[in-house]
Amino acid sequence: MNVHQTYQSLERELSNEDPWRLDDNPFERERHTQLLRLSLSNSAVSNGLEIGCAAGAFTEKLAPHCKRLTVIDVMPRAIGRAVQRTKRWSHISWAATDILQFSAAELFDLIVVAEVLYYLEDMTQMRTAVGNMVKMLAPGGHLVFGSARDATCKRWGHVAGAETVITILTEALIEVERVQCQGQSADEDCLLVRFRNPEPSLIPPNGRG
């Protein structure tokens, strides 16, 4: 699936009242419950980043637990819907961009990216996206990743899914916890993983204290 086709598909979905059935589907509700639990496992969030907000269903759950929250999505229409859903909070910043282009001056102690990376065109873009996220994650910070599995994503026409991205993430981060969410249909099968960014060693390179 190329970029133009992806945009068209996302625009069609966003025209629905409940895109991707994130509110009324028991599988999606359980996925969000587990995603939130993993996101808050390291206590309160000082500076969080959500990559890909869809229509704001998860943003609405995460926002109350963050002192500051930055939300990005490649679709301006998604940002608009999420803003309306979360307008009672003033500590959220928004940007219509993608993870390949986004950068921030400050590091984040939590990054959440779920059901997003398989939209990238190829493995080069996936590695670039992961590298960009790792660069913005504070030492000791946590990244929570979620995705449909490789086989499901390839059936949908994407290059790769959960298992592939998890392998790339473990090159730089430490896996802390993994959860499988499974629903009634073959498409409802995803992995959620919490990673920790290792803190720099306090021991000098020469090994002396």
Side-chain angles (χ1 to χ4, degrees):
M1 187 179 294
N2 61 36
V3 174
H4 182 66
Q5 290 172 324
T6 298
Y7 274 50
Q8 284 187 323
S9 175
L10 291 172
E11 279 288 354
R12 284 195 300 270
E13 292 286 356
L14 282 164
S15 66
N16 298 324
E17 183 176 344
D18 181 12
W20 304 285
R21 296 185 62 207
L22 297 180
D23 290 312
D24 73 355
N25 185 347
F27 165 75
E28 296 294 355
R29 289 201 301 269
E30 174 61 16
R31 186 174 67 85
H32 279 179
T33 296
Q34 294 296 332
L35 201 61
L36 185 64
R37 182 184 64 80
L38 292 172
S39 298
L40 302 179
S41 295
N42 200 31
S43 70
V45 180
S46 296
N47 192 22
L49 171 65
E50 182 189 8
I51 300 168
C53 62
F58 184 71
T59 313
E60 187 176 31
K61 295 178 174 65
L62 180 63
H65 304 281
C66 301
K67 292 181 180 177
R68 285 181 296 161
L69 178 61
T70 300
V71 181
I72 71 170
D73 197 288
V74 71
M75 305 297 294
R77 188 171 186 173
I79 293 283
R81 291 192 62 167
V83 166
Q84 287 301 309
R85 188 162 183 159
T86 61
K87 59 186 177 182
R88 59 189 178 278
W89 292 297
S90 60
H91 65 292
I92 307 175
S93 302
W94 307 88
T97 184
D98 65 32
I99 189 54
L100 297 173
Q101 306 295 327
F102 179 72
S103 63
E106 296 179 274
L107 298 177
F108 299 97
D109 58 319
L110 172 69
I111 296 176
V112 181
V113 54
E115 307 300 327
V116 170
L117 296 186
Y118 53 67
Y119 286 112
L120 297 174
E121 284 192 76
D122 52 39
M123 292 305 303
T124 299
Q125 288 193 353
M126 283 190 171
R127 284 194 167 274
T128 300
V130 168
N132 198 23
M133 290 188 297
V134 170
K135 185 174 63 178
M136 292 188 291
L137 186 62
H142 287 245
L143 184 149
V144 177
F145 166 73
S147 174
R149 292 175 176 272
D150 276 350
T152 304
C153 289
K154 289 175 182 177
R155 191 168 67 247
W156 292 343
H158 302 303
V159 64
E163 294 92 337
T164 295
V165 177
I166 289 168
T167 299
I168 299 172
L169 282 163
T170 52
E171 293 172 5
L173 306 176
I174 299 169
E175 181 176 331
V176 178
E177 184 179 355
R178 182 183 298 204
V179 177
Q180 178 183 358
C181 288
Q182 196 163 13
Q184 297 296 316
S185 78
D187 288 341
E188 295 177 339
D189 186 7
C190 73
L191 294 176
L192 307 177
V193 185
R194 177 165 64 99
F195 295 90
R196 179 173 58 84
N197 193 13
E199 302 203 38
S201 174
L202 300 178
I203 302 175
N206 61 11
R208 295 177 183 175

